[in-house]
């Protein structure tokens, strides 16, 4: 069965302090790995899709990378507005559904 | 309206009530989804519709009944719910359910409280 594990569960950083979030996955044949951002009381907001090992994507202070077993979301010089829960999800080839991890709750202190 | 919209945003109901959640997508997508998000748990897929046909029912109790009258609208009919059904219910859409592009775009959710 597909599994997605995110770590850490929660991360508190100072503004400007770079770090990485981890998403480990187990799936027999990856169609895609997805990163979302979710603010309290709102729906997840799509950030990135990664399809194959070695792929990287960037958006402002965020950079997502993918290996055969895990994905990292690197946050460079974060700002307080980057505070949110970051969700990772995987889709198996031929499957309709996404399997989500529990998320990492990121807090950036000014 | 743009993206995915959901109404109502908040709903409080008793265990004997019947209510419906509504979702509308303005993205021209062919697939729509219902998810349940409870505290401390990952998003749980409930239903998938592709071109108005239900393609997946993720072992959801019959007190939840989905309806997809067309590719832009999705409903979740609720009846005789339990307090443990209290959660954030999210609707999402994607270009297609299992093809090359399956980025799912979510609505803001309905916060449901069952008394």
């Amino acid at each position: 069965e597909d599994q997605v594990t995110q770590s850490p569960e929660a991360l508190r950083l100072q503004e400007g302090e770079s770090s990485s979030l981890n998403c480990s996955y187990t799936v027999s044949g990856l169609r895609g790995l997805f990163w979302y951002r979710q603010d309290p009381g709102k729906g997840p907001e799509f950030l990135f899709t990664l399809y194959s090992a070695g792929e990287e994507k960037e958006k402002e202070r965020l950079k997502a990378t993918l290996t055969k077993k895990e994905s990292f979301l690197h946050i460079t010089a974060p700002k307080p507005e980057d505070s949110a829960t970051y969700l990772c999800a995987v889709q198996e080839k031929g499957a309709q559904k996404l399997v989500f991890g529990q998320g990492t709750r990121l807090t950036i202190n000014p | 309206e743009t993206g995915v919209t959901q109404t109502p945003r908040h709903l409080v109901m008793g265990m004997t009530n019947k209510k419906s959640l509504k979702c509308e997508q303005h993205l021209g997508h062919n697939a729509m989804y219902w998810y349940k998000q409870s505290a401390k748990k990952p998003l749980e897929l409930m239903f998938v519709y592709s071109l108005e046909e239900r393609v997946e029912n993720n072992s959801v109790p019959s007190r939840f009944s989905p309806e997809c009258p067309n590719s832009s609208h999705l409903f979740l009919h609720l009846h005789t719910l339990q307090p443990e059904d209290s959660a954030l219910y999210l609707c999402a859409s994607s270009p297609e359910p299992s093809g090359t592009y399956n980025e799912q775009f979510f609505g803001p959710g309905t916060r449901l409280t069952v008394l």
Side-chain angles (χ1 to χ4, degrees):
Chain A
E1 186 175 314
D2 300 346
Q3 286 195 323
V4 180
T5 303
Q6 292 188 246
S7 61
E9 282 190 25
L11 180 62
R12 190 177 292 271
L13 301 172
Q14 290 297 122
E15 184 173 0
E17 181 184 359
S18 302
S19 188
S20 295
L21 313 182
N22 177 263
C23 172
S24 297
Y25 64 91
T26 304
V27 63
S28 53
L30 181 70
R31 161 61 74 187
L33 184 141
F34 304 83
W35 281 100
Y36 288 85
R37 168 195 170 127
Q38 186 174 23
D39 292 300
K42 296 188 176 181
E45 174 190 345
F46 172 74
L47 293 174
F48 304 109
T49 309
L50 301 167
Y51 293 103
S52 58
E55 190 175 0
E56 299 182 351
K57 289 194 176 172
E58 289 188 63
K59 179 180 179 180
E60 297 182 357
R61 295 176 291 282
L62 300 176
K63 179 181 177 181
T65 62
L66 180 66
T67 73
K68 289 186 177 180
K69 295 182 179 179
E70 58 191 350
S71 176
F72 291 93
L73 186 64
H74 307 277
I75 302 177
T76 302
K79 299 182 178 182
E81 53 262 41
D82 295 321
S83 297
T85 295
Y86 290 85
L87 302 172
C88 169
V90 299
Q91 183 188 19
E92 185 178 333
K93 285 182 179 178
Q96 283 100 11
K97 68 178 184 180
L98 300 186
V99 177
F100 280 83
Q102 287 192 298
T104 293
R105 189 173 66 255
L106 177 66
T107 304
I108 308 299
N109 295 316
Chain B
E1 291 276 20
T2 58
V4 180
T5 58
Q6 290 186 243
T7 54
R9 294 294 312 279
H10 301 272
L11 178 62
V12 180
M13 58 188 289
M15 288 191 285
T16 58
N17 292 157
K18 289 185 179 180
K19 296 287 184 182
S20 297
L21 310 184
K22 179 183 175 182
C23 174
E24 184 173 359
Q25 60 97 357
H26 309 267
L27 300 168
H29 289 167
N30 290 321
M32 296 188 77
Y33 311 77
W34 279 117
Y35 285 88
K36 175 183 179 182
Q37 189 174 37
S38 305
K40 307 288 186 183
K41 294 176 72 175
L43 268 77
E44 301 172 59
L45 178 68
M46 300 175 73
F47 301 103
V48 180
Y49 275 84
S50 174
L51 296 170
E52 304 144 46
E53 181 180 338
R54 190 192 308 180
V55 296
E56 183 152 347
N57 173 356
N58 219 33
S59 302
V60 178
S62 59
R63 56 185 184 269
F64 295 92
S65 175
E67 179 190 0
C68 188
N70 55 60
S71 60
S72 299
H73 294 86
L74 186 64
F75 295 88
L76 188 63
H77 304 298
L78 316 171
H79 67 95
T80 58
L81 294 191
Q82 305 298 312
E84 59 264 31
D85 296 322
S86 299
L88 182 67
Y89 288 84
L90 291 160
C91 173
S93 71
S94 69
E96 49 189 291
S98 60
T100 304
Y101 303 106
N102 191 40
E103 288 87 354
Q104 294 182 20
F105 295 86
F106 286 81
T110 295
R111 173 66 63 186
L112 174 66
T113 302
V114 182
L115 302 176

